[in-house]
Amino acid sequence: MTRRSVHGEGTGVNNTPQNGGHPGDNPTPKEDPEAPHGKVELKKKVTLLRGISIIIGTIIGAGIFISPKGILKNSGSVGMSLVVWIACGVLSLFGALSYAELGTSIKKSGGHYTYILEAFGPQMAFIRLWADLIAIRPAGLAVISLAFGQYILEPIFMPCGVPEIAIKLATSIGLTSVMYLNSMSTSWTNRIQIFLTFSKLLAIAIIIVPGLYMLFKGETKNFENAFEVSNIKLTGLPLAFYSGMYAYAGWFYLNFVTEEVENPEKTVPLAICISMAIVTSCYVLTNVAYYTVMSAEELLASQAVAVTFAEKMMGNFSVAVPVFVALSCFGSMNGCLFAFSRIFYVASREGHLPEVLSMIHVRRHTPLAAVIILYPMTVFQLFVGDIYSLLNFMSFLRWLFIGVAVLGLIYMRYTRPDMPRPFKVPLFIPAIFSFTCFFMVFLSLYSDPINTGIGFAISLTGIPAYYIFIVFDRRPKWLQNGLDSFNRSVQIILEVIPAEH
């Protein structure tokens, strides 16, 4: 991995010596009549509407349509499950507000990685990045992609099951199309994200409206004794919260692309607050609609809750539900990839990843290498790895690092009091949220010590990796030359150059 002496050094498109290169090493791109004019950099193309669509489009995946039953099973009653949905929405809003402060005071892309880097230094940030790169991001993307593959094929194979190999092929096609879209154009990525966000809100409206109509007609028998004390399981409540927080995860994605947001001081807090209000309302009302039509027992027995709901309410129209779920998953894949690529772009700029990952396509103005890096790893895990067990290892790490980032906000209030903070939250908000995150990590250790231990072990491999790749950068000359020529080859093939600042 190459280290850079000057961070973010820009060279334009001329053949200039660059980090030990030689004249003639870099390609001179041909003039493209359709090329965007101006500096080669990531443009500020994320408006308020696009910001909202990134957050909503990524939070609402397949979960609310398939399995909102983890909360019901662990809370023990209908009323208590609705309380947990609302409480998780409020707690997620606390986290989102903390990130709004971080995003407006540290105007760099990269989300958790950047905030941990600013607060606690490069070693802690690299461990987060390492866990992201080798496991969390590819596994997360693979799981959403598999759900897309499953539901896009379901109407074709009904009433039979979908063959495993067909799911994986459809998943690969979906994944390839998302990668292509993100590589080609930031504007089109955002436009399609807005369309997909509206389509998933339409799908939720198709569930909420008939459900509430039945409720107002007096269909309330499933809500009788909703808070029956004998059913409430206090021991299960923390697990119910864990499921709920997982369902809301995604409110931090706009912070991964802060540098591309127009007027971030206003846009980031506004987009976060509007998105969280919409998502919390959608989640709670969707569950009310489910409970109006189905009893708690029916809901727990269902394989895909939205399909069962549609069969009861709409008859043959229920065939459309899997299509909506597939579109919802595609929106999550698109939003995730758009955000993930920016983490690798920023980490490369900081010297933590190969330099080519922070380069931008000369005409498309997209971080092409940073988008592509996830593709082979995700496809590999799709066909080879046991993704779900990997997610069990890693899901608690997500909360650990988010907790650390929010703790960094409190820490920087004291270590950097003069830092400009256009948006400032009361300290009790990050304090409550970071406590919630660490409580969830403790809960993982308590309920599943083996998987959690393996997850910790995977992330701790980041410490030797940090010293091997970053600290001890006196490599043998042949290795350094090999890395440099690899960087230049990739640069020529992908037509990417360092961003101008």
Side-chain angles (χ1 to χ4, degrees):
M1 293 193 186
T2 52
R3 294 269 292 160
R4 302 176 64 177
S5 53
V6 180
H7 291 275
E9 187 175 72
T11 58
V13 295
N14 300 320
N15 290 336
T16 52
Q18 175 204 21
N19 286 348
H22 301 283
D25 282 340
N26 289 335
T28 305
K30 296 185 186 77
E31 280 297 317
D32 184 339
E34 293 180 23
H37 296 289
K39 287 201 296 187
V40 177
E41 60 181 359
L42 292 179
K43 305 290 184 188
K44 286 185 178 288
K45 289 189 173 178
V46 180
T47 57
L48 179 63
L49 179 62
R50 287 174 175 180
I52 292 169
S53 76
I54 287 170
I55 299 172
I56 295 179
T58 316
I59 295 179
I60 303 176
I64 189 67
F65 302 107
I66 318 303
S67 58
K69 45 192 172 183
I71 292 179
L72 176 61
K73 190 167 75 183
N74 289 307
S75 60
S77 73
V78 168
M80 204 63 206
S81 74
L82 291 175
V83 169
V84 171
W85 275 108
I86 294 167
C88 288
V90 172
L91 276 172
S92 298
L93 177 63
F94 280 9
L97 289 171
S98 305
Y99 263 52
E101 176 175 324
L102 286 165
T104 51
S105 53
I106 302 167
K107 295 187 191 69
K108 283 199 252 177
S109 294
H112 326 308
Y113 166 80
T114 301
Y115 306 143
I116 293 171
L117 181 73
E118 290 281 332
F120 301 114
Q123 186 172 353
M124 181 82 98
F126 183 83
I127 292 169
R128 162 76 212 190
L129 175 72
W130 183 254
D132 261 354
L133 187 63
I134 62 170
I136 299 177
R137 300 304 173 198
L141 195 57
V143 166
I144 307 165
S145 309
L146 272 174
F148 166 78
Q150 166 87 42
Y151 285 94
I152 199 78
L153 294 177
E154 199 157 276
I156 302 167
F157 284 88
M158 272 181 178
C160 306
V162 186
E164 191 71 22
I165 190 68
I167 292 174
K168 290 194 170 174
L169 283 172
T171 301
S172 303
I173 293 166
L175 201 55
T176 308
S177 57
V178 168
M179 289 280 173
Y180 180 77
L181 177 65
N182 273 271
S183 302
M184 286 297 115
S185 165
T186 301
S187 294
W188 273 105
T189 302
N190 282 311
R191 282 174 198 144
I192 286 176
Q193 189 65 14
I194 291 170
F195 165 73
L196 291 168
T197 299
F198 278 113
S199 74
K200 65 179 75 181
L201 290 175
L202 174 66
I204 283 176
I206 289 170
I207 293 169
I208 290 174
V209 173
L212 292 183
Y213 174 70
M214 296 293 285
L215 183 67
F216 292 132
K217 272 177 68 179
E219 193 71 42
T220 56
K221 64 177 184 296
N222 294 333
F223 292 99
E224 287 163 16
N225 305 322
F227 289 94
E228 204 170 310
V229 180
S230 60
N231 291 339
I232 294 172
K233 308 173 190 167
L234 285 176
T235 49
L237 275 180
L239 288 168
F241 263 94
Y242 199 93
S243 300
M245 294 300 283
Y246 190 81
Y248 283 102
W251 43 261
F252 38 76
Y253 280 106
L254 190 60
N255 293 65
F256 291 0
V257 296
T258 312
E259 290 168 31
E260 293 165 73
V261 176
E262 284 180 4
N263 193 3
E265 293 90 345
K266 284 185 181 172
T267 306
V268 171
L270 252 181
I272 284 173
C273 292
I274 293 169
S275 304
M276 290 312 295
I278 292 172
V279 171
T280 307
S281 310
C282 285
Y283 276 3
V284 174
L285 290 174
T286 303
N287 277 284
V288 168
Y290 286 155
Y291 292 138
T292 305
V293 175
M294 288 183 265
S295 68
E297 291 73 27
E298 284 176 305
L299 194 130
L300 288 172
S302 168
Q303 286 299 306
V305 178
V307 177
T308 311
F309 175 90
E311 280 166 357
K312 284 193 155 208
M313 291 294 293
M314 305 164 204
N316 291 336
F317 183 72
S318 63
V319 175
V321 172
V323 178
F324 275 119
V325 176
L327 281 175
S328 182
C329 293
F330 194 81
S332 286
M333 288 155 67
N334 190 41
C336 286
L337 188 66
F338 183 66
F340 295 167
S341 59
R342 272 47 176 188
I343 297 181
F344 303 137
Y345 169 78
V346 172
S348 167
R349 204 170 59 190
E350 296 292 340
H352 282 174
L353 286 176
E355 186 190 357
V356 72
L357 295 179
S358 62
M359 295 186 185
I360 291 171
H361 194 277
V362 290
R363 293 185 302 283
R364 307 275 175 205
H365 293 194
T366 57
L368 192 60
V371 171
I372 291 170
I373 188 175
L374 271 177
Y375 185 66
M377 298 163 79
T378 307
V379 171
F380 176 76
Q381 288 190 8
L382 204 61
F383 285 95
V384 179
D386 181 358
I387 300 164
Y388 291 96
S389 64
L390 193 60
L391 263 193
N392 288 344
F393 299 155
M394 306 316 282
S395 60
F396 84 95
L397 275 180
R398 163 190 261 179
W399 298 113
L400 175 65
F401 285 115
I402 291 173
V404 168
V406 173
L407 203 61
L409 181 154
I410 301 169
Y411 179 67
M412 285 191 289
R413 284 278 183 97
Y414 295 101
T415 56
R416 294 163 70 176
D418 301 330
M419 190 171 165
R421 292 178 172 86
F423 180 86
K424 201 170 179 179
V425 291
L427 264 182
F428 77 89
I429 287 180
I432 290 172
F433 183 75
S434 53
F435 172 78
T436 307
C437 287
F438 295 131
F439 174 72
M440 283 161 67
V441 172
F442 171 75
L443 186 73
S444 295
L445 276 166
Y446 176 74
S447 62
D448 193 354
I450 296 170
N451 275 347
T452 310
I454 294 170
F456 263 122
I458 291 173
S459 64
L460 289 176
T461 57
I463 297 174
Y466 178 73
Y467 284 98
I468 293 165
F469 296 126
I470 309 299
V471 177
F472 302 127
D473 57 354
R474 287 185 184 169
R475 300 189 190 88
K477 200 169 182 188
W478 60 268
L479 179 60
Q480 190 60 54
N481 289 342
L483 286 168
D484 286 346
S485 62
F486 171 75
N487 253 334
R488 285 197 295 273
S489 305
V490 174
Q491 196 182 338
I492 291 164
I493 293 163
L494 296 181
E495 293 188 317
V496 291
I497 61 169
E500 297 173 28
H501 292 283

